Amino acid sequence: MKDLLRLKTSLKEEIENILNEQIKVEAHSSSIYLAMSSWCDDQGLDYSAQFFEKQAAEERVHMMKFFKYVNDRGGRAISPEIKNIPKDFESFRAVFEMALEQEMHVTQQINNIADKCMKSKDFVTFQFLQWFLEEQIEEEYVARRILEIFDVVGEEGTGRWEIDKHVQKVSYSGE
Amino acid sequence: MCRNFNCLDELYRTEFGAVYQCNLKNCYWLEFAGEWYSLNVSDFLFFKKEVDSIDIVSMLVDSSRHSDVVVLQSYRARRCFVLNAVEILQLKDLLSAARFMIELNSVIQECLSYSPSTSVK
């Protein structure tokens, strides 16, 4: 009997489902960053607003990489429904704490996918994930370093203004 | 789509229906409640996900009349399914078992295509 399933798709159902879940996670991240950008803009924190706008665009690029991969391998990528995006945030610092938590959550999710790929011997998808795992080093580093600036500079006086200015300068060289 | 019984392989049968694979047209045939529906591979997998996602418990708990049935539309099957809770359970069972047989066929094909001579030195 013909193997119609493999003629159609190279992805196992379990892997396709978790990749679609990841599409949702990335889209959710993108929307949260956009909400953070809007909040920062409203608070007069221009550089942070730009930082989060750029982060939102990056998360969408990540989402599209997963989206395209699922379709390219013969699966069916599902356009995600995004709900529960906060509109208000407790404080300037809380925004960056939430950003770090979000990045740590994404890293954990990608680790889980990599683990499932190894167990089901899907080394093609495992290889595809390597780029994301490396990317997460940078994402977590940047969010963590910005939080450290809060401790170094302090929020009193012109502290918030100073921190906002420094946000754009934080980068990861990987060396 | 023309249904040619000579090229249909039965994947799974219950007392309520059956799923067949057509090797000529590369599609599946679903026989359920006296009707026949043809679905390509992608549509079959998507249709199964739709059926699996139906929340039977909330259907049973909800006392409103509209919750007694679920209408499922498969665009290319040219028909819709109007199913009560019992029929949904029957269809879920049938599709899950057929999906398992499809996966089993893939595993068997993979094993058959694996040549032991490549691994034994």
Side-chain angles (χ1 to χ4, degrees), chain A residues 126-141:
Chain A
F126 182 80
Q127 181 67 28
F128 166 75
L129 292 172
Q130 299 311 302
W131 183 88
F132 291 93
L133 289 169
E134 279 182 32
E135 186 75 4
Q136 282 313 112
I137 299 172
E138 180 184 347
E139 303 284 358
E140 281 190 25
Y141 172 86

PDB file of all heavy atoms in Angstrom, chain A residues 126-141:
ATOM      1  N   PHE A 126      15.552  19.301  14.086  1.00  0.00           N
ATOM      2  CA  PHE A 126      16.529  19.582  15.144  1.00  0.00           C
ATOM      3  C   PHE A 126      17.583  20.569  14.630  1.00  0.00           C
ATOM      4  O   PHE A 126      17.938  21.532  15.309  1.00  0.00           O
ATOM      5  CB  PHE A 126      17.182  18.279  15.616  1.00  0.00           C
ATOM      6  CG  PHE A 126      18.156  18.460  16.738  1.00  0.00           C
ATOM      7  CD1 PHE A 126      17.715  18.607  18.050  1.00  0.00           C
ATOM      8  CD2 PHE A 126      19.520  18.501  16.502  1.00  0.00           C
ATOM      9  CE1 PHE A 126      18.597  18.796  19.095  1.00  0.00           C
ATOM     10  CE2 PHE A 126      20.421  18.687  17.536  1.00  0.00           C
ATOM     11  CZ  PHE A 126      19.955  18.832  18.835  1.00  0.00           C
ATOM     12  N   GLN A 127      18.047  20.316  13.404  1.00  0.00           N
ATOM     13  CA  GLN A 127      19.043  21.200  12.783  1.00  0.00           C
ATOM     14  C   GLN A 127      18.465  22.606  12.553  1.00  0.00           C
ATOM     15  O   GLN A 127      19.119  23.611  12.801  1.00  0.00           O
ATOM     16  CB  GLN A 127      19.500  20.586  11.452  1.00  0.00           C
ATOM     17  CG  GLN A 127      20.546  21.377  10.702  1.00  0.00           C
ATOM     18  CD  GLN A 127      21.876  21.403  11.441  1.00  0.00           C
ATOM     19  OE1 GLN A 127      22.186  20.490  12.187  1.00  0.00           O
ATOM     20  NE2 GLN A 127      22.637  22.457  11.246  1.00  0.00           N
ATOM     21  N   PHE A 128      17.205  22.627  12.117  1.00  0.00           N
ATOM     22  CA  PHE A 128      16.501  23.894  11.880  1.00  0.00           C
ATOM     23  C   PHE A 128      16.439  24.742  13.164  1.00  0.00           C
ATOM     24  O   PHE A 128      16.518  25.975  13.118  1.00  0.00           O
ATOM     25  CB  PHE A 128      15.084  23.580  11.352  1.00  0.00           C
ATOM     26  CG  PHE A 128      14.141  24.733  11.365  1.00  0.00           C
ATOM     27  CD1 PHE A 128      14.234  25.758  10.429  1.00  0.00           C
ATOM     28  CD2 PHE A 128      13.123  24.807  12.313  1.00  0.00           C
ATOM     29  CE1 PHE A 128      13.342  26.820  10.437  1.00  0.00           C
ATOM     30  CE2 PHE A 128      12.235  25.871  12.335  1.00  0.00           C
ATOM     31  CZ  PHE A 128      12.350  26.879  11.406  1.00  0.00           C
ATOM     32  N   LEU A 129      16.316  24.061  14.312  1.00  0.00           N
ATOM     33  CA  LEU A 129      16.177  24.767  15.591  1.00  0.00           C
ATOM     34  C   LEU A 129      17.470  25.401  16.097  1.00  0.00           C
ATOM     35  O   LEU A 129      17.441  26.262  16.971  1.00  0.00           O
ATOM     36  CB  LEU A 129      15.651  23.804  16.665  1.00  0.00           C
ATOM     37  CG  LEU A 129      14.219  23.306  16.493  1.00  0.00           C
ATOM     38  CD1 LEU A 129      13.935  22.235  17.525  1.00  0.00           C
ATOM     39  CD2 LEU A 129      13.214  24.450  16.620  1.00  0.00           C
ATOM     40  N   GLN A 130      18.606  24.952  15.542  1.00  0.00           N
ATOM     41  CA  GLN A 130      19.896  25.442  16.057  1.00  0.00           C
ATOM     42  C   GLN A 130      19.998  26.968  15.972  1.00  0.00           C
ATOM     43  O   GLN A 130      20.516  27.615  16.879  1.00  0.00           O
ATOM     44  CB  GLN A 130      21.076  24.804  15.286  1.00  0.00           C
ATOM     45  CG  GLN A 130      21.137  23.291  15.390  1.00  0.00           C
ATOM     46  CD  GLN A 130      21.010  22.797  16.817  1.00  0.00           C
ATOM     47  OE1 GLN A 130      21.789  23.152  17.668  1.00  0.00           O
ATOM     48  NE2 GLN A 130      20.002  21.971  17.073  1.00  0.00           N
ATOM     49  N   TRP A 131      19.508  27.533  14.880  1.00  0.00           N
ATOM     50  CA  TRP A 131      19.559  28.990  14.698  1.00  0.00           C
ATOM     51  C   TRP A 131      18.809  29.697  15.837  1.00  0.00           C
ATOM     52  O   TRP A 131      19.270  30.697  16.382  1.00  0.00           O
ATOM     53  CB  TRP A 131      18.951  29.361  13.340  1.00  0.00           C
ATOM     54  CG  TRP A 131      19.030  30.832  13.042  1.00  0.00           C
ATOM     55  CD1 TRP A 131      20.042  31.499  12.441  1.00  0.00           C
ATOM     56  CD2 TRP A 131      18.035  31.825  13.374  1.00  0.00           C
ATOM     57  NE1 TRP A 131      19.754  32.833  12.365  1.00  0.00           N
ATOM     58  CE2 TRP A 131      18.542  33.068  12.925  1.00  0.00           C
ATOM     59  CE3 TRP A 131      16.783  31.780  13.991  1.00  0.00           C
ATOM     60  CZ2 TRP A 131      17.831  34.262  13.076  1.00  0.00           C
ATOM     61  CZ3 TRP A 131      16.086  32.967  14.150  1.00  0.00           C
ATOM     62  CH2 TRP A 131      16.602  34.190  13.697  1.00  0.00           C
ATOM     63  N   PHE A 132      17.637  29.134  16.198  1.00  0.00           N
ATOM     64  CA  PHE A 132      16.814  29.748  17.249  1.00  0.00           C
ATOM     65  C   PHE A 132      17.484  29.638  18.616  1.00  0.00           C
ATOM     66  O   PHE A 132      17.428  30.565  19.417  1.00  0.00           O
ATOM     67  CB  PHE A 132      15.431  29.088  17.288  1.00  0.00           C
ATOM     68  CG  PHE A 132      14.598  29.402  16.086  1.00  0.00           C
ATOM     69  CD1 PHE A 132      14.599  28.563  14.986  1.00  0.00           C
ATOM     70  CD2 PHE A 132      13.825  30.545  16.037  1.00  0.00           C
ATOM     71  CE1 PHE A 132      13.851  28.865  13.865  1.00  0.00           C
ATOM     72  CE2 PHE A 132      13.071  30.853  14.929  1.00  0.00           C
ATOM     73  CZ  PHE A 132      13.087  30.012  13.826  1.00  0.00           C
ATOM     74  N   LEU A 133      18.124  28.507  18.861  1.00  0.00           N
ATOM     75  CA  LEU A 133      18.795  28.311  20.155  1.00  0.00           C
ATOM     76  C   LEU A 133      19.935  29.323  20.315  1.00  0.00           C
ATOM     77  O   LEU A 133      20.115  29.899  21.388  1.00  0.00           O
ATOM     78  CB  LEU A 133      19.318  26.874  20.273  1.00  0.00           C
ATOM     79  CG  LEU A 133      18.224  25.816  20.450  1.00  0.00           C
ATOM     80  CD1 LEU A 133      18.780  24.415  20.280  1.00  0.00           C
ATOM     81  CD2 LEU A 133      17.559  25.941  21.820  1.00  0.00           C
ATOM     82  N   GLU A 134      20.662  29.550  19.219  1.00  0.00           N
ATOM     83  CA  GLU A 134      21.738  30.543  19.272  1.00  0.00           C
ATOM     84  C   GLU A 134      21.171  31.953  19.447  1.00  0.00           C
ATOM     85  O   GLU A 134      21.706  32.767  20.183  1.00  0.00           O
ATOM     86  CB  GLU A 134      22.582  30.477  17.992  1.00  0.00           C
ATOM     87  CG  GLU A 134      23.589  29.346  18.043  1.00  0.00           C
ATOM     88  CD  GLU A 134      24.461  29.303  16.800  1.00  0.00           C
ATOM     89  OE1 GLU A 134      24.729  30.367  16.229  1.00  0.00           O
ATOM     90  OE2 GLU A 134      24.849  28.198  16.419  1.00  0.00           O
ATOM     91  N   GLU A 135      20.081  32.211  18.757  1.00  0.00           N
ATOM     92  CA  GLU A 135      19.422  33.522  18.841  1.00  0.00           C
ATOM     93  C   GLU A 135      18.981  33.821  20.271  1.00  0.00           C
ATOM     94  O   GLU A 135      19.054  34.964  20.734  1.00  0.00           O
ATOM     95  CB  GLU A 135      18.208  33.521  17.894  1.00  0.00           C
ATOM     96  CG  GLU A 135      17.477  34.829  17.746  1.00  0.00           C
ATOM     97  CD  GLU A 135      18.212  35.861  16.893  1.00  0.00           C
ATOM     98  OE1 GLU A 135      19.272  35.530  16.337  1.00  0.00           O
ATOM     99  OE2 GLU A 135      17.717  37.005  16.821  1.00  0.00           O
ATOM    100  N   GLN A 136      18.530  32.777  20.976  1.00  0.00           N
ATOM    101  CA  GLN A 136      18.042  32.981  22.341  1.00  0.00           C
ATOM    102  C   GLN A 136      19.144  33.414  23.296  1.00  0.00           C
ATOM    103  O   GLN A 136      18.873  34.087  24.288  1.00  0.00           O
ATOM    104  CB  GLN A 136      17.351  31.704  22.860  1.00  0.00           C
ATOM    105  CG  GLN A 136      15.958  31.498  22.326  1.00  0.00           C
ATOM    106  CD  GLN A 136      15.087  32.738  22.385  1.00  0.00           C
ATOM    107  OE1 GLN A 136      14.722  33.303  21.362  1.00  0.00           O
ATOM    108  NE2 GLN A 136      14.749  33.191  23.585  1.00  0.00           N
ATOM    109  N   ILE A 137      20.394  33.055  23.013  1.00  0.00           N
ATOM    110  CA  ILE A 137      21.515  33.509  23.858  1.00  0.00           C
ATOM    111  C   ILE A 137      21.536  35.043  23.842  1.00  0.00           C
ATOM    112  O   ILE A 137      21.611  35.693  24.882  1.00  0.00           O
ATOM    113  CB  ILE A 137      22.870  32.951  23.341  1.00  0.00           C
ATOM    114  CG1 ILE A 137      22.854  31.421  23.379  1.00  0.00           C
ATOM    115  CG2 ILE A 137      24.025  33.493  24.180  1.00  0.00           C
ATOM    116  CD1 ILE A 137      24.085  30.782  22.712  1.00  0.00           C
ATOM    117  N   GLU A 138      21.433  35.596  22.634  1.00  0.00           N
ATOM    118  CA  GLU A 138      21.447  37.057  22.480  1.00  0.00           C
ATOM    119  C   GLU A 138      20.226  37.704  23.137  1.00  0.00           C
ATOM    120  O   GLU A 138      20.357  38.681  23.878  1.00  0.00           O
ATOM    121  CB  GLU A 138      21.491  37.415  20.991  1.00  0.00           C
ATOM    122  CG  GLU A 138      21.503  38.915  20.765  1.00  0.00           C
ATOM    123  CD  GLU A 138      21.460  39.298  19.291  1.00  0.00           C
ATOM    124  OE1 GLU A 138      21.670  38.422  18.439  1.00  0.00           O
ATOM    125  OE2 GLU A 138      21.202  40.475  19.010  1.00  0.00           O
ATOM    126  N   GLU A 139      19.047  37.117  22.880  1.00  0.00           N
ATOM    127  CA  GLU A 139      17.803  37.707  23.403  1.00  0.00           C
ATOM    128  C   GLU A 139      17.831  37.786  24.922  1.00  0.00           C
ATOM    129  O   GLU A 139      17.480  38.812  25.512  1.00  0.00           O
ATOM    130  CB  GLU A 139      16.584  36.879  22.947  1.00  0.00           C
ATOM    131  CG  GLU A 139      16.438  36.715  21.447  1.00  0.00           C
ATOM    132  CD  GLU A 139      15.921  37.960  20.750  1.00  0.00           C
ATOM    133  OE1 GLU A 139      15.634  38.954  21.432  1.00  0.00           O
ATOM    134  OE2 GLU A 139      15.834  37.945  19.510  1.00  0.00           O
ATOM    135  N   GLU A 140      18.252  36.692  25.563  1.00  0.00           N
ATOM    136  CA  GLU A 140      18.280  36.673  27.031  1.00  0.00           C
ATOM    137  C   GLU A 140      19.369  37.608  27.559  1.00  0.00           C
ATOM    138  O   GLU A 140      19.158  38.298  28.557  1.00  0.00           O
ATOM    139  CB  GLU A 140      18.534  35.250  27.543  1.00  0.00           C
ATOM    140  CG  GLU A 140      17.292  34.389  27.498  1.00  0.00           C
ATOM    141  CD  GLU A 140      17.492  33.069  28.214  1.00  0.00           C
ATOM    142  OE1 GLU A 140      18.346  32.980  29.112  1.00  0.00           O
ATOM    143  OE2 GLU A 140      16.788  32.107  27.848  1.00  0.00           O
ATOM    144  N   TYR A 141      20.521  37.621  26.883  1.00  0.00           N
ATOM    145  CA  TYR A 141      21.631  38.468  27.320  1.00  0.00           C
ATOM    146  C   TYR A 141      21.205  39.935  27.336  1.00  0.00           C
ATOM    147  O   TYR A 141      21.421  40.652  28.322  1.00  0.00           O
ATOM    148  CB  TYR A 141      22.845  38.280  26.396  1.00  0.00           C
ATOM    149  CG  TYR A 141      23.959  39.268  26.663  1.00  0.00           C
ATOM    150  CD1 TYR A 141      24.922  39.006  27.629  1.00  0.00           C
ATOM    151  CD2 TYR A 141      24.023  40.473  25.972  1.00  0.00           C
ATOM    152  CE1 TYR A 141      25.926  39.931  27.903  1.00  0.00           C
ATOM    153  CE2 TYR A 141      25.024  41.399  26.237  1.00  0.00           C
ATOM    154  CZ  TYR A 141      25.967  41.122  27.187  1.00  0.00           C
ATOM    155  OH  TYR A 141      26.957  42.035  27.456  1.00  0.00           O
TER     156      TYR A 141
END
